[in-house]
Amino acid sequence: MRWYWIDRFIEFESGRHAKAVKNVSLAEEHLHDHFPCYPMHPNSLVLEGLAQTGGLLVCEQGGFTEKVILAKVPKAHFHAEAIPGDRLIYSTTIEYVRPEGAMITGTSYRGDQLQAEVEIVFAHLNDPTVGSLFDPATFLRMMRLLRAYEIGRAADGGPLQPPRCLRETTEQAASP
Amino acid sequence: MPTKDEVFESVQAALVDALGVDEDEVSPEATLVGDLGAESIDFLDIVFRLEKAFDMKIPRGELFPEDVFTNPDYVQDGKLTPAGMEELKKRMPFADLSGFEENPVVQDFANLLTVADMCRFVESKLEVTE
């Protein structure tokens, strides 16, 4: 299993908001383990999907230079279950970014029904020893896999591009 | 301009949202860390909510001058030096530091700040009426 809890971005506006899709499928193994005989997508993983949507938005806003970790969930309300066949739309908005961290608000919709609403606080880690957890190539691959650069918009309204430092670091790592 | 009561109500709302505590727990004398269970990351959340509620900016270190406690000129053997204490008073005129001054163990400082201190901090940044 890969720790991707969103399938693709459908909107990505640098520094402002991002929207992603999560398709819930009966083929996903974890649905059968959460409540045996009652397959559902756990709300903790809805939260993780919203954190990935908003966390990548925060990382991108900082040019992927900050080590962004989920630090706190001040609010998480779940109004409905997510079950096989559901297409969840996660919308996240940056509320603030400070040198110490950032906060996003997010919603999950199932059709026109509000499924979940959250607030998430991210911290910026300053510890240099955790550098290996935040490999630039991983970020770049994830953003491409989720199609952020196909649909995304930069702060000036132009197409979203990977930051130069991320491209250079990735190219250096790939060269013999 | 807000009144003191309005400041308290907004500070109370910010702490209820940030810390998940009940409104009646947020009394003026309650300490943020000891009574309300605030952890370091909560201060980031609280500062943001105060900025939003009062439409003001709170620069890093203004509410909680952590740099004083990491400055070797101000800390010796885990306690604030007299110079450190003076600096702290200058930086936190809104806080009642009299108890802490008697035995200024750095580790105990986090449990000093009360809801009333936080209200005074906000009042010091706004023109507050009675």
Side-chain angles (χ1 to χ4, degrees):
Chain A
M1 184 190 287
R2 307 279 176 172
W3 199 250
Y4 293 122
W5 294 107
I6 50 178
D7 294 329
R8 64 191 287 186
F9 283 110
I10 53 175
E11 287 176 22
F12 197 107
E13 194 180 349
S14 180
R16 295 192 178 91
H17 83 275
K19 200 178 265 194
V21 169
K22 164 65 187 164
N23 290 302
V24 180
S25 166
L26 198 56
E28 293 178 283
E29 209 161 302
H30 69 280
L31 266 72
H32 302 274
D33 300 330
H34 191 51
F35 292 125
C37 304
Y38 190 79
M40 65 171 284
H41 185 60
N43 286 333
S44 53
L45 293 179
V46 171
L47 179 64
E48 174 64 25
L50 284 158
Q52 291 187 358
T53 307
L56 284 168
L57 182 66
V58 171
C59 286
E60 196 283 330
Q61 194 266 350
F64 295 93
T65 54
E66 296 284 359
K67 294 163 186 167
V68 177
I69 60 157
L70 193 162
K72 178 183 172 186
V73 181
K75 173 178 151 185
H77 292 159
F78 298 94
H79 305 285
E81 293 167 358
I83 57 174
D86 281 346
R87 183 173 193 254
L88 303 176
I89 303 293
Y90 299 151
S91 297
T92 60
T93 303
I94 290 182
E95 294 296 324
Y96 70 87
V97 179
R98 295 171 60 99
E100 312 95 296
M103 180 178 180
I104 62 117
T105 50
T107 57
S108 166
Y109 271 84
R110 191 175 68 171
D112 58 4
Q113 182 188 23
L114 179 63
Q115 191 262 331
E117 47 191 332
V118 299
E119 290 176 348
I120 299 173
V121 175
F122 297 97
H124 291 154
L125 276 189
N126 297 317
D127 186 347
T129 60
V130 296
S132 59
L133 292 175
F134 297 86
D135 175 23
T138 305
F139 274 130
L140 193 54
R141 195 164 50 243
M142 198 165 174
M143 289 290 280
R144 284 178 171 152
L145 193 63
L146 296 169
R147 305 190 182 198
Y149 296 118
E150 290 178 29
I151 52 87
R153 291 277 145 204
D156 63 4
L160 188 73
Q161 301 281 348
R164 180 179 289 178
C165 64
L166 204 63
R167 288 201 309 266
E168 286 173 355
T169 313
T170 309
E171 282 159 14
Q172 279 168 12
S175 60
Chain B
M1 288 302 123
T3 64
K4 287 190 173 189
D5 286 347
E6 286 166 345
V7 167
F8 176 76
E9 282 166 21
S10 296
V11 167
Q12 190 181 45
L15 294 174
V16 165
D17 288 343
L19 303 175
V21 291
D22 291 335
E23 214 174 77
D24 57 5
E25 291 179 78
V26 188
S27 61
E29 60 277 4
T31 59
L32 268 71
V33 174
D35 295 328
L36 303 181
E39 296 181 15
S40 58
I41 190 66
D42 293 319
F43 284 92
L44 173 62
D45 192 4
I46 292 165
V47 162
F48 162 67
R49 289 175 200 275
L50 292 180
E51 284 187 336
K52 200 173 172 184
F54 296 104
D55 192 23
M56 63 183 184
K57 285 283 165 209
I58 304 173
R60 187 176 190 173
E62 197 173 280
L63 174 63
F64 201 87
E66 56 205 12
D67 56 299
V68 172
F69 298 98
T70 53
N71 185 335
D73 294 339
Y74 294 148
V75 179
Q76 270 175 15
D77 301 324
K79 287 187 175 187
L80 272 195
T81 61
M85 201 63 223
E86 281 312 302
E87 179 66 14
L88 195 63
K89 283 183 187 171
K90 204 162 67 183
R91 301 272 296 274
M92 298 183 78
F94 53 88
D96 177 7
L97 299 171
S98 53
F100 179 67
E101 196 171 7
E102 289 171 17
N103 187 23
V105 177
V106 169
Q107 214 174 354
D108 295 342
F109 180 75
N111 199 23
L112 183 80
L113 211 59
T114 64
V115 175
D117 291 332
M118 193 151 282
C119 290
R120 280 193 290 272
F121 169 75
V122 171
E123 289 163 14
S124 72
K125 292 182 72 73
L126 302 170
E127 287 178 38
V128 174
T129 57
E130 289 297 322

